[in-house]
Amino acid sequence: MNLWDFSILIDYWDDFMAGLGRTVLASLLGLIGSLVLGTLIAILRIAPFRILNVVGTVYVEFIRNIPLLVTVFFFFLGVPALGIAMEPFTAGTLGLIVYTAAFVAESIRAGIQAVPSGQSEAARSSGLSYIQTMRYIILPQAVKIVLPAIGNQMINLVKNSSVLAVIAGLDLMYYADIINLKTFKGIPVYTLVALFYLLLTIPLSQAVHYMERRFAKSN
Amino acid sequence: MNRKLSRTFRWSAAVLSLIIMLIAAGCGSSGEVDTLEAIKKRGKLVAGVKYDTKLFGLQDPATGQVEGFDIDMAKALAKKILGDETKLELKEVTSKTRIDMLRNGDIDIIIATMTITEERKEQVDFSDVYFEAGQSLLVKKGSPITGLESLNKDTKVLTVKGSTSAQNIREKAPDAEILEFENYQDAFTALRAGQGDALTTDNSILLGMQKQDPNYELVGGNFTDEPYGMAIKKGNPEFVKTVNELLKEMKESGEYDRLYEQWMGIKPE
């Protein structure tokens, strides 16, 4: 038997495409969801109210110190046990969003706090409100600092979406496992899977690089 | 470099290459060793078994002991080859890992609820059938599903990745949505969490789940024949013969029937 027989990929092309579609969908939903949720958590962490800071800190420390798989299983098994029906794909994507948001929040917080405190003090003493200081002075500078870190998180998110395979989330990795077990041709199957993930992650990292250059010019 | 030193170098180089050649030759031959010979030389049989499957191979969390029909078969085989059923090492396998582990030489034999199929025969050699299983459905008591004919596009059927059950259910119930999990416990956990309407695999495994949680029951009888065989690395005709002899002896002596009833709760047909 030829382990390098790539022709079997054609036989299962429809399955690969179905899986790739789900992986792209989970990644897009995850990307948007985790950026929105992560930004909200970051705001909680740096807001000038102690109670909000505590809520944000508890979220970040709780979620980022639990394995992604455990978080996903919470949505997959725990939430339905509470009487809320949830598709495996939905459970997996929610798990991804909640998990990635913790890291996004940390990156954003670190970026904002990396802007020298003199900037904020100068803005406030020249009469800008807290919100105005954030909007016009701090955030434009923080975005540049935060971009590379966020880019990393988004690339991780795309790769982490393979966790769906474990809960029958019908993603690329799920189909790859099944095709491999049917055909025993792991080398071509997982080579193709690697290429598909690269197809998603490389444009993503190029986009982040492009945005970094754009923001650098805006100085 | 002076003459003496260069001679020393040449000598050490020669000795070194000799050692490397010897090691390489040793590796080359050990890769081709007959499995049965290797077991006798080692004084121990290494069997790949399930750790998560009731009745066949299940680890007791309290004692760490693995018990079941497959385990007792492995013990009988150790006794036949080495004269002592304790000269046995068990290694956990899953449907996903077992063939690779056998081919890598991590285990001597797979005794792990493995169905004999033409596809798998290209990868490994099988013993005679040691258990006649058949695929069935497990549902929650009171479920509207009464058998294959109840499965339609609105029913979710759970099963295990890489199992013959997954292939069969696709053919027998083409409209049903099939979700495949890593192992039987994960699939059963998903069923109990309400992530599916029925779980399908071999009746013998479903019987174990039914014992574990009496709120679930088998419905509709068997719809396939899935004979279990023990799998052996290709190129070991003597080992296959030994296993088949053992099965014949056990059936003749009544030992097979005794073990079957002990684990399955019923007599073999």
Side-chain angles (χ1 to χ4, degrees):
Chain A
M1 186 189 57
N2 182 5
L3 291 173
W4 292 88
D5 177 13
F6 280 78
S7 66
I8 64 116
L9 299 181
I10 295 157
D11 304 337
Y12 291 94
W13 194 250
D14 292 347
D15 284 351
F16 279 117
M17 285 301 114
L20 181 63
R22 284 296 188 106
T23 292
V24 169
L25 186 61
S27 300
L28 278 176
L29 292 173
L31 200 139
I32 297 164
S34 65
L35 282 180
V36 171
L37 184 61
T39 308
L40 287 174
I41 304 295
I43 290 170
L44 292 184
R45 291 213 66 184
I46 55 153
F49 301 104
R50 179 105 187 94
I51 180 74
L52 297 183
N53 300 160
V54 171
V55 172
T57 308
V58 166
Y59 180 94
V60 167
E61 291 306 330
F62 202 73
I63 298 298
R64 84 170 168 179
N65 292 310
I66 293 174
L68 170 61
L69 197 54
V70 177
T71 307
V72 166
F73 267 102
F74 169 76
F75 284 101
F76 178 62
L77 297 176
V79 173
L82 300 173
I84 304 162
M86 195 174 268
E87 292 274 316
F89 178 81
T90 316
T93 308
L94 276 177
L96 267 179
I97 290 174
V98 164
Y99 179 82
T100 310
F103 292 89
V104 169
E106 269 309 273
S107 303
I108 293 176
R109 181 196 60 80
I112 290 171
Q113 290 180 347
V115 177
S117 58
Q119 297 279 323
S120 159
E121 285 157 14
R124 292 304 295 274
S125 50
S126 54
L128 295 182
S129 71
Y130 175 78
I131 303 289
Q132 285 171 324
T133 307
M134 273 291 163
R135 169 72 186 82
Y136 297 107
I137 308 297
I138 307 296
L139 288 181
Q141 298 184 68
V143 164
K144 275 176 244 171
I145 304 168
V146 163
L147 256 179
I150 297 285
N152 276 335
Q153 298 307 341
M154 294 304 111
I155 288 165
N156 277 337
L157 172 89
V158 173
K159 294 186 293 180
N160 283 343
S161 70
S162 59
V163 78
L164 285 171
V166 180
I167 57 161
L170 310 180
D171 71 320
L172 186 54
M173 198 66 183
Y174 172 82
Y175 282 108
D177 281 350
I178 290 173
I179 296 163
N180 173 39
L181 289 161
K182 260 188 212 161
T183 62
F184 304 101
K185 300 219 164 114
I187 295 171
V189 168
Y190 290 111
T191 304
L192 184 70
V193 167
L195 287 175
F196 279 145
Y197 278 108
L198 285 175
L199 209 64
L200 300 179
T201 49
I202 287 183
L204 192 59
S205 60
Q206 288 307 310
V208 173
H209 278 307
Y210 174 75
M211 277 155 72
E212 280 175 42
R213 282 198 301 272
R214 279 289 299 271
F215 280 108
K217 271 186 203 154
S218 73
N219 256 355
Chain B
M1 195 189 288
N2 68 40
R3 267 188 103 81
K4 200 176 169 190
L5 195 60
S6 109
R7 206 159 51 221
T8 320
F9 260 103
R10 240 178 273 161
W11 268 108
S12 10
V15 170
L16 202 64
S17 31
L18 193 68
I19 291 171
I20 290 170
M21 273 161 64
L22 284 173
I23 292 171
C27 291
S29 60
S30 71
E32 303 302 322
V33 150
D34 182 72
T35 307
L36 194 57
E37 288 306 313
I39 294 165
K40 285 178 181 161
K41 209 168 157 193
R42 197 192 305 131
K44 194 173 68 178
L45 171 73
V46 184
V49 297
K50 295 272 180 80
Y51 275 34
D52 66 348
T53 309
K54 271 221 164 190
L55 314 183
F56 285 84
L58 184 72
Q59 189 167 36
D60 182 339
T63 61
Q65 288 289 314
V66 189
E67 292 169 340
F69 188 70
D70 283 347
I71 312 303
D72 286 350
M73 286 311 227
K75 283 180 182 166
L77 184 59
K79 194 172 178 190
K80 172 150 179 85
I81 299 172
L82 302 163
D84 183 352
E85 66 168 38
T86 62
K87 289 185 172 167
L88 171 69
E89 183 185 336
L90 300 174
K91 278 195 183 169
E92 182 177 9
V93 299
T94 63
S95 301
K96 212 168 153 176
T97 61
R98 59 193 173 190
I99 287 184
D100 284 332
M101 285 178 73
L102 185 71
R103 288 202 291 199
N104 291 345
D106 293 331
I107 50 178
D108 299 318
I109 189 165
I110 300 170
I111 313 179
T113 62
M114 187 168 179
T115 307
I116 302 170
T117 67
E118 290 306 316
E119 243 168 2
R120 285 175 182 160
K121 276 184 189 168
E122 286 172 22
Q123 319 288 323
V124 296
D125 284 338
F126 279 105
S127 71
D128 291 342
V129 177
Y130 76 94
F131 187 89
E132 289 279 6
Q135 194 170 338
S136 190
L137 294 170
L138 183 77
V139 298
K140 192 165 188 158
K141 273 186 182 162
S143 158
I145 295 170
T146 54
L148 265 189
E149 65 285 350
S150 318
L151 304 178
N152 56 42
K153 65 178 172 47
D154 297 321
T155 42
K156 276 189 204 165
V157 183
L158 314 181
T159 185
V160 169
K161 280 181 189 171
S163 63
T164 41
S165 311
Q167 293 179 33
N168 291 334
I169 196 68
R170 283 212 163 77
E171 288 161 20
K172 309 255 176 190
D175 295 334
E177 188 182 343
I178 316 293
L179 297 177
E180 300 180 41
F181 290 86
E182 301 288 313
N183 58 50
Y184 295 110
Q185 279 305 326
D186 283 0
F188 190 37
T189 309
L191 180 71
R192 292 208 280 182
Q195 289 287 5
D197 303 302
L199 196 164
T200 186
T201 183
D202 301 346
N203 59 343
S204 46
I205 293 170
L206 297 178
L207 278 167
M209 293 173 176
Q210 191 182 14
K211 276 190 185 174
Q212 193 178 334
D213 187 343
N215 293 320
Y216 290 82
E217 61 180 356
L218 278 85
V219 290
N222 292 356
F223 52 84
T224 63
D225 285 319
E226 299 190 36
Y228 288 172
M230 303 184 199
I232 290 161
K233 198 171 176 175
K234 281 211 171 281
N236 288 288
E238 276 302 307
F239 192 18
V240 176
K241 213 176 115 198
T242 307
V243 173
N244 289 340
E245 272 170 24
L246 171 75
L247 288 172
K248 204 161 161 254
E249 287 165 15
M250 287 176 79
K251 279 179 182 163
E252 278 165 6
S253 70
E255 177 67 4
Y256 177 87
D257 287 17
R258 196 188 64 74
L259 282 179
Y260 192 105
E261 204 177 343
Q262 180 193 334
W263 290 107
M264 306 306 149
I266 47 164
K267 285 189 192 327
E269 284 168 25

